[in-house]
């Protein structure tokens, strides 16, 4: 894998992690052999430990689920051990995921394999000079998640930038081309951090630092078209 020469730092990339023929077989499995939740919008299936969308950590109430045969050849080997949590997600056209940072103390490295149609992912951080499309003071970088590519998020990109996908039917490419979205699947791999402590010192995004500073995290829930999402509030205690 090679690091992308962009901000945020720490984004590593491998094109054609699988062949187009392998991708086609996987999509056949996803469409015809798996049991998905019966609802609209973005859908998820979990292997290993279950990802908790309330805390962005591990759901301790769900037992470990063994990796299926189709998943085993897709496990990244750079970490020297298999991940403890893997999430398969289906994004129909127009679906997205809110900007977030996976809980620092729960997970170390993050990897993501993209299959099916491409989509633009937004990385963002607070800025004193830049303003995003919603008028907020944020520096935003869009990365094109191309089919069959494997992305690793480490360092800066993992800890100090949020990542998300806008809910929209099209993406505008750097050259101005408008690209329609289609069905996309992603496989996200997470390695549990042991011990469950992060030393990055980011008081806005790191749960370990917030706990050390006496900052209590509050979660505001709301229902949207693609399911339950989370808004994160903070207050001093």
């Amino acid at each position: 894998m090679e690091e992308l020469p962009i901000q945020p730092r720490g984004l590593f990339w491998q094109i054609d992690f699988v062949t187009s023929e392998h991708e086609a077989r996987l999509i056949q499995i996803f469409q015809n052999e798996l049991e998905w939740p019966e609802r609209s919008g973005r859908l998820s299936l979990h292997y290993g430990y279950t990802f908790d969308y309330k805390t962005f950590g591990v759901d301790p109430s769900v037992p470990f689920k063994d990796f299926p045969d189709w998943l085993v050849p897709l496990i990244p080997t750079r970490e020297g051990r298999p991940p403890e949590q893997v999430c398969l997600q289906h994004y129909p056209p127009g679906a997205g995921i809110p900007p977030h940072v996976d809980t620092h103390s729960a997970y170390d490295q993050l990897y993501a394999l993209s299959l099916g149609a491409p989509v633009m992912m937004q990385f963002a951080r607070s800025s004193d000079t830049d303003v995003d499309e919603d008028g907020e003071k944020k520096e935003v970088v869009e990365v094109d998640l191309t089919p069959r590519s494997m992305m690793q998020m480490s360092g800066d990109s993992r800890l100090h930038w949020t990542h998300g996908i806008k809910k929209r039917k099209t993406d505008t490419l750097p050259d101005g081309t408008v690209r329609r979205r289609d069905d996309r699947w992603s496989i996200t791999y997470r390695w549990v951090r042991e011990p469950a402590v992060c030393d990055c010192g980011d008081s806005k995004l790191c749960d370990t630092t917030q706990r050390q500073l006496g900052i209590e995290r509050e979660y505001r829930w709301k229902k949207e078209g693609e399911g339950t999402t989370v808004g994160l509030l903070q207050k001093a205690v």
Side-chain angles (χ1 to χ4, degrees):
M1 300 183 79
E2 295 184 1
E3 185 175 7
L4 297 180
I6 62 172
Q7 290 288 349
R9 304 301 300 174
L11 283 178
F12 290 83
W13 200 269
Q14 180 178 342
I15 63 172
D16 293 329
F17 183 80
V18 297
T19 64
S20 57
E21 292 80 12
H22 192 175
E23 177 189 41
R25 292 198 301 272
L26 289 169
I27 292 176
Q28 284 276 340
I29 293 172
F30 301 161
Q31 292 177 324
N32 302 308
E33 300 181 22
L34 303 184
E35 294 185 13
W36 295 88
E38 295 184 359
R39 64 172 187 266
S40 61
R42 175 172 53 90
L43 303 175
S44 302
L45 297 175
H46 302 269
Y47 304 97
Y49 293 114
T50 293
F51 186 79
D52 189 338
Y53 289 98
K54 293 182 179 180
T55 65
F56 293 120
V58 167
D59 187 339
S61 67
V62 182
F64 188 93
K65 183 178 180 181
D66 290 336
F67 296 157
D69 290 342
W70 60 262
L71 176 58
V72 174
L74 305 176
I75 300 297
T77 59
R78 279 168 59 91
E79 299 305 310
R81 63 184 175 93
E84 287 82 15
Q85 202 287 313
V86 177
C87 180
L88 170 64
Q89 297 195 85
H90 173 226
Y91 290 81
I97 187 169
H100 68 282
V101 172
D102 293 51
T103 301
H104 286 198
S105 66
Y107 301 113
D108 194 359
Q109 307 292 336
L110 296 179
Y111 288 66
L113 174 62
S114 295
L115 301 164
V119 74
M120 301 297 287
M121 172 171 277
Q122 290 191 343
F123 289 84
R125 66 177 175 181
S126 299
S127 173
D128 294 330
T129 57
D130 298 295
V131 178
D132 68 6
E133 60 189 33
D134 298 319
E136 298 184 31
K137 289 187 175 181
K138 289 183 179 179
E139 180 182 0
V140 178
V141 177
E142 290 199 318
V143 175
D144 196 3
L145 303 183
T146 53
R148 300 180 299 282
S149 63
M150 177 71 80
M151 176 179 65
Q152 177 191 1
M153 295 169 52
S154 63
D156 227 21
S157 64
R158 160 72 180 101
L159 300 174
H160 305 303
W161 294 63
T162 63
H163 60 278
I165 296 173
K166 285 277 190 179
K167 292 176 60 176
R168 58 195 183 199
K169 294 292 183 70
T170 62
D171 287 316
T172 302
L173 305 185
D175 64 1
T177 301
V178 176
R179 183 179 66 199
R180 293 186 63 83
R181 290 188 183 176
D182 206 339
D183 285 295
R184 173 181 178 267
W185 291 263
S186 71
I187 303 176
T188 303
Y189 311 80
R190 300 179 175 94
W191 280 256
V192 171
R193 188 190 293 273
E194 294 289 355
V197 176
C198 178
D199 60 2
C200 76
D202 190 327
S203 61
K204 293 183 178 179
L205 297 177
C206 178
D207 62 309
T208 297
T209 302
Q210 291 169 351
R211 187 166 55 250
Q212 292 170 345
L213 296 176
I215 299 174
E216 178 185 345
R217 304 202 303 174
E218 291 184 340
Y219 295 92
R220 179 181 66 249
W221 293 88
K222 61 182 179 180
K223 292 288 185 178
E224 292 190 353
E226 63 177 31
T228 305
T229 61
V230 64
L232 176 62
L233 301 176
Q234 300 175 356
K235 69 176 183 179
V237 293

